[in-house]
């Protein structure tokens, strides 16, 4: 690690400790406080433990919080987690109001692993989405900041977001039969939801769960976006009925989710879990933004074409069928073995129909079809052993983690002249790339070593990661001489080292070194699309992305609460840049940047003032730089702003009522990757929530977000330029990156 990086990290850490000095002292003065906060359990660390016992920064969002706050998507999930963001996709190419993933410490997309019940979520492609997760039936969400490749594999470069679904025991709650139902509404997108979960214990060894949810929603409403297009202006043909630049196109979304589980525990040594998890989302968009006379994207001049209607459909599916077996031997070196075998097909079908009138007066129908499929077969075998060597305790996790993935992409466009009856077809449009098969086969080992009477912990970890991607171009693939698809194969020995030192039962310090490794995707390697004005060409020689991360932290645990503060530095190499224009050509491709360095401070605290009053605090500050090549100048890396979230929660037992106020404070973004990028101003928001048990086991939840109707831009707006061509202003207005105005959520939960 360079000396300048060490100095920078040290300054971050020492600066972060200042605000907590008075907090710690005042907490020590009151030794008679008996109110306690429940420990928060992290399960996706491959070893169940409390958050404050792991040498990492982990945020937990529990299922009750998801229900109480009416969380339905990635944006709402990350809304009150400082430093973690999720940008809503608003371009005309992807008008379905989905999310491309979750951003952690300045990296997102496929660099952050998403998983549901331990199974990977499909990767995102440029003309697609990674929005495959539904918030119904989620028991807990765990957000791991920083590389977690040693435990979870090559795509955990920036972190992991792990979703855990409910089990039969969560509904039964000690009974032989249980039923829970829920009705919910969200004014942001006029979203209505109904769901139920039924569980039955058929014998002491067999439990079954059946859950179903149906959601419907329309386009989001941005009450504070400006109809004139703000800094971009609004060159849309409003007189022809085009959608104003402050509105999403009319949208109808329908979601169905089925979750079924059976748990069989034949004896104390064996537990089997069988899961079927099926999600289907259908989104229809009436793409009115484009109505009226058309203009060339390159010359800006009228083309003579008039578009009279355009409709789009996205049919997205996620399925997971899994068998999990946990074996707990009566004796021997191995304490337990968990085996998961899962089949997870993902994909979507996208289609569109456009009606227009040509310059010659002919009526034209243009239809486009896109299909993307990604299918996993996963095998994860994890063993756990505990043993002593002298006075030293070892907690050993080791195993195999592998999968086979099949990826298929196809695109077809059909243009029919309705006046003459002549039709033409073109294939391999969009961002066409070669189909491929990918094999990952990794071995991992991590040992948590405890000594010194429990005061010291050292956690070394290793993963031998292997990766092979084999292209299988279909008949539509267009080869580029010298850049033909070829097999890419690589391996990497990844290392991590965590340490905790407990000064006493209250204070501890921790540190961690971690490595990450991310192979290029099939689209990055094999994209090939010759065009009229520019060409997209393959990049088969891309190098894997890598990261080395360093963290240090301080924690204090009290009977009534805790504080935690940490500083980090992540040094990325071979960071892959999209759509690089090769100088002097009309060719665009992917390339490796030399370095991206991100560093920052994160803090969190919680305190129970009494058995009915508690508060939480979280904050994040990040800064980063990037270099295109070793000889190039260092420029900023776009990151979320300094952000703090403070909440105050009050229980009123005599009325079975809970009230909560959440304040979010964000500073302005002053540095971006490009000097002419938009820099959103700072803002402050207040959200209010209430949960009221109006009848036994019947809870009414109500929330008002952005109470004062503040106009602000999300962090994702910093990836937009301050100015735009008329074509961009028409197709992707920056005003659609404003945050939601005042909205409300309401739900009713009933348990039987």
């Amino acid at each position: 690690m360079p000396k300048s990086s060490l100095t920078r990290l040290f300054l971050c850490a020492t600066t972060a400790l200042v605000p907590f000095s008075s907090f710690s002292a005042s907490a020590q003065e009151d030794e008679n406080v008996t109110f306690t906060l429940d420990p928060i359990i992290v399960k996706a660390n491959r070893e169940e433990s409390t958050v404050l016992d792991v040498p990492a920064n982990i945020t937990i969002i529990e299922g009750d919080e998801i229900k109480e706050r009416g969380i339905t998507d990635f944006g709402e999930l990350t809304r009150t987690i400082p430093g973690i963001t999720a940008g809503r996709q608003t371009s005309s190419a992807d008008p379905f109001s989905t999310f491309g993933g979750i951003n952690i410490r300045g990296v997102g997309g496929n660099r952050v692993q998403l998983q549901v019940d331990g199974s990977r979520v499909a990767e995102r492609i440029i003309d697609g989405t990674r929005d495959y997760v539904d918030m119904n039936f989620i028991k807990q969400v765990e957000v791991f900041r920083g590389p977690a490749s040693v435990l979870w594999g090559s795509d955990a470069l920036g972190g992991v977001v792990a979703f855990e679904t409910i089990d039969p025991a969560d509904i039964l709650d000690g009974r032989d039969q249980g039923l829970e139902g829920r009705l919910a509404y969200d004014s942001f997108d006029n979203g209505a939801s109904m769901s139920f979960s039924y569980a039955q214990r058929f014998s002491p060894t067999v439990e079954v769960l059946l859950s179903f949810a149906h959601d419907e929603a329309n386009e989001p409403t941005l009450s504070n976006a400006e109809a004139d297009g703000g800094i971009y202006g609004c060159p849309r043909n409003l007189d022809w009925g085009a959608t104003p630049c402050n509105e999403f196109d009319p949208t109808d979304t329908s979601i169905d989710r089925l979750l079924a589980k059976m748990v069989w525990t034949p004896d104390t040594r064996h537990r089997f879990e069988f899961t079927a998890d099926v999600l289907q989302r259908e989104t229809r968009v009436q793409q009115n933004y484009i109505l009226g006379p058309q203009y060339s994207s390159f010359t800006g001049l009228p083309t003579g074409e008039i578009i009279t209607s355009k409709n789009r459909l996205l049919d997205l599916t996620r399925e997971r069928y899994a068998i999990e077996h946990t074996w707990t031997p009566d004796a021997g070196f191995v304490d337990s073995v968990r085996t998961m075998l899962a089949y997870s097909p993902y994909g979507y079908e996208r289609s569109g129909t456009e009606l227009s009138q040509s310059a010659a007066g002919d009526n034209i129908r243009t239809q486009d079809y896109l299909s993307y499929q990604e299918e996993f077969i996963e095998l994860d075998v994890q063993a756990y052993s505990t043993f002593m060597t002298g006075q030293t305790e070892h907690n050993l996790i080791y195993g195999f983690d592998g999968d086979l993935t099949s990826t298929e992409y196809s695109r077809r466009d059909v243009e029919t002249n309705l006046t003459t009856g002549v039709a033409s077809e073109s294939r391999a449009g969009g961002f066409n790339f070669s189909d491929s098969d990918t094999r990952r086969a990794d071995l991992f080992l991590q040992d948590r070593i405890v000594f010194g009477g429990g005061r010291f912990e050292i956690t070394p970890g290793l993963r031998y990661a292997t990766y092979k991607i084999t292209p299988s171009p279909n008949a539509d693939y267009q080869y580029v001489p010298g850049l033909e698809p070829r097999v890419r194969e690589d391996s990497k020995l990844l290392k991590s080292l965590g340490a905790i030192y407990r000064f006493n039962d209250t204070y501890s310090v921790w540190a961690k070194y971690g490595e990450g490794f991310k192979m290029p995707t099939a689209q990055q390697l094999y994209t090939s699309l010759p065009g009229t004005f520019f060409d997209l060409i393959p990049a088969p020689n891309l190098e894997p992305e890598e990261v080395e991360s360093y963290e240090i932290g301080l924690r204090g645990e009290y009977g009534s609460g805790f504080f935690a503060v940490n500083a980090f530095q992540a040094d990325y190499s071979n960071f892959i840049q999209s759509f690089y224009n090769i100088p002097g050509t009309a060719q665009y491709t992917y390339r490796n940047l030399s370095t991206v360095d991100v560093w920052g401070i994160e803090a969190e605290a919680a305190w129970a003032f009494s058995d009915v009053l508690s508060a939480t605090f979280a904050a994040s500050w990040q800064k980063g730089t990037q270099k295109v090549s070793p000889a190039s100048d260092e420029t900023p890396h776009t990151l979320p702003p300094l952000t703090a979230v403070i909440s105050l929660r009050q229980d009123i037992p005599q009325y079975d009522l809970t009230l909560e106020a959440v304040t979010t404070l964000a500073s302005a973004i002053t540095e971006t990757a490009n000097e002419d990028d938009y820099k959103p101003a700072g803002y402050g928001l207040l959200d209010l929530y209430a949960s009221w048990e109006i009848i036994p086991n019947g809870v009414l939840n109500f929330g008002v977000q952005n109470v004062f109707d503040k106009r602000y831009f999300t962090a994702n707006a910093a990836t937009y330029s301050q100015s735009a061509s008329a074509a961009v202003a028409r197709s992707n207005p920056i005003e659609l990156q404003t945050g939601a105005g005042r909205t409300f959520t309401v739900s009713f939960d009933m348990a039987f």
Side-chain angles (χ1 to χ4, degrees), residues 191-235:
S193 172
M194 62 79 62
S195 64
F196 74 87
S197 294
Y198 174 76
Q200 175 77 48
R201 179 180 291 111
F202 289 98
S203 71
T205 63
V206 177
E207 296 177 348
V208 172
L209 169 73
L210 180 64
S211 299
F212 177 77
H214 177 75
D215 297 2
E216 293 189 358
N218 301 124
E219 66 278 2
T221 301
L222 302 175
S223 58
N224 290 319
E226 296 179 349
D228 62 4
I231 60 174
Y232 281 10
C234 189

Side-chain angles (χ1 to χ4, degrees), residues 439-496:
R439 183 215 67 203
R440 299 178 180 89
D442 300 356
L443 298 173
F444 63 89
L445 180 149
Q446 179 177 280
D447 188 11
R448 182 168 57 88
I449 306 168
V450 183
F451 55 99
R455 294 176 65 185
F456 292 91
E457 282 188 18
I458 297 178
T459 309
L462 291 173
R463 173 180 284 249
Y464 181 65
T466 68
Y467 189 103
K468 182 178 181 180
I469 181 168
T470 304
S472 52
N474 59 29
D476 296 335
Y477 189 77
Q478 303 183 51
Y479 291 86
V480 176
L483 298 175
E484 294 86 357
R486 58 183 176 84
V487 175
R488 288 296 306 272
E489 188 170 9
D490 211 333
S491 61
K492 182 77 173 179
L493 182 64
L494 299 169
K495 302 174 289 295
S496 67

Side-chain angles (χ1 to χ4, degrees), residues 19-73:
F20 287 95
S21 57
S22 59
F23 175 88
S24 302
S26 62
Q28 286 181 314
E29 290 173 1
D30 188 356
E31 298 180 352
N32 297 318
V33 177
T34 59
F35 313 116
T36 60
L37 294 176
D38 293 332
I40 302 173
I41 304 298
V42 54
K43 298 182 179 179
N45 196 41
R46 290 192 179 268
E47 178 190 11
E48 187 169 308
S49 57
T50 66
V51 168
L52 295 178
D53 287 329
V54 179
N57 187 352
I58 303 171
T59 296
I60 304 294
I61 305 99
E62 296 181 334
D64 287 344
E65 181 178 334
I66 291 174
K67 290 180 179 180
E68 291 171 2
R69 296 188 179 182
I71 294 173
T72 59
D73 58 38

Side-chain angles (χ1 to χ4, degrees), residues 80-283:
T80 55
I81 309 177
I84 312 296
T85 60
R88 186 180 297 275
Q89 300 182 149
T90 60
S91 71
S92 60
D94 189 352
F96 304 103
S97 193
T98 64
F99 294 84
I102 293 176
N103 187 294
I104 298 176
R105 292 180 176 174
V107 299
N110 298 326
R111 299 183 182 102
V112 170
Q113 184 180 114
L114 305 181
Q115 57 177 246
V116 178
D117 288 334
S119 290
R120 301 152 55 89
V121 171
E123 293 185 320
R124 175 182 179 264
I125 60 174
I126 291 296
D127 45 350
T129 182
R130 212 174 180 206
D131 199 352
Y132 292 100
V133 181
D134 173 67
M135 296 299 166
N136 288 296
F137 317 130
I138 297 297
K139 177 165 57 177
Q140 184 164 288
V141 183
E142 302 173 11
V143 181
F144 287 65
R145 294 172 173 85
S149 290
V150 166
L151 287 181
W152 292 110
S154 65
D155 56 349
L157 195 75
V160 174
V161 182
F163 297 84
E164 181 187 0
T165 61
I166 58 175
D167 292 316
D170 298 311
I171 305 300
L172 293 174
D173 194 23
R175 302 169 296 173
D176 290 333
Q177 191 177 69
L179 175 65
E180 291 185 2
R182 176 177 173 84
L183 297 173
Y185 175 78
D186 187 342
S187 70
F188 175 57
D189 57 3
N190 199 32
S193 172
M194 62 79 62
S195 64
F196 74 87
S197 294
Y198 174 76
Q200 175 77 48
R201 179 180 291 111
F202 289 98
S203 71
T205 63
V206 177
E207 296 177 348
V208 172
L209 169 73
L210 180 64
S211 299
F212 177 77
H214 177 75
D215 297 2
E216 293 189 358
N218 301 124
E219 66 278 2
T221 301
L222 302 175
S223 58
N224 290 319
E226 296 179 349
D228 62 4
I231 60 174
Y232 281 10
C234 189
R236 292 178 171 179
N237 301 307
L238 301 181
D239 293 341
W240 289 75
T243 302
C245 289
N246 64 332
E247 297 179 11
F248 288 86
D249 283 317
T251 302
D252 292 302
T253 298
S254 176
I255 306 172
D256 289 315
R257 170 88 180 276
L258 174 68
L259 175 66
K261 289 187 179 183
M262 183 179 77
V263 176
W264 176 39
T265 312
D267 54 47
T268 58
R269 295 173 300 165
H270 298 278
R271 180 186 187 273
F272 295 87
E273 181 174 297
F274 305 88
T275 301
D277 189 354
V278 180
L279 169 72
Q280 182 167 9
R281 180 190 298 133
E282 183 180 273
T283 304

Side-chain angles (χ1 to χ4, degrees), residues 231-232 672 674-679 717 720-724 734:
I231 60 174
Y232 281 10
T672 52
N674 299 301
E675 183 58 35
D676 62 347
D677 285 345
Y678 181 68
K679 298 174 178 59
Y720 284 58
S721 296
Q722 295 191 62
S723 59
I734 194 172

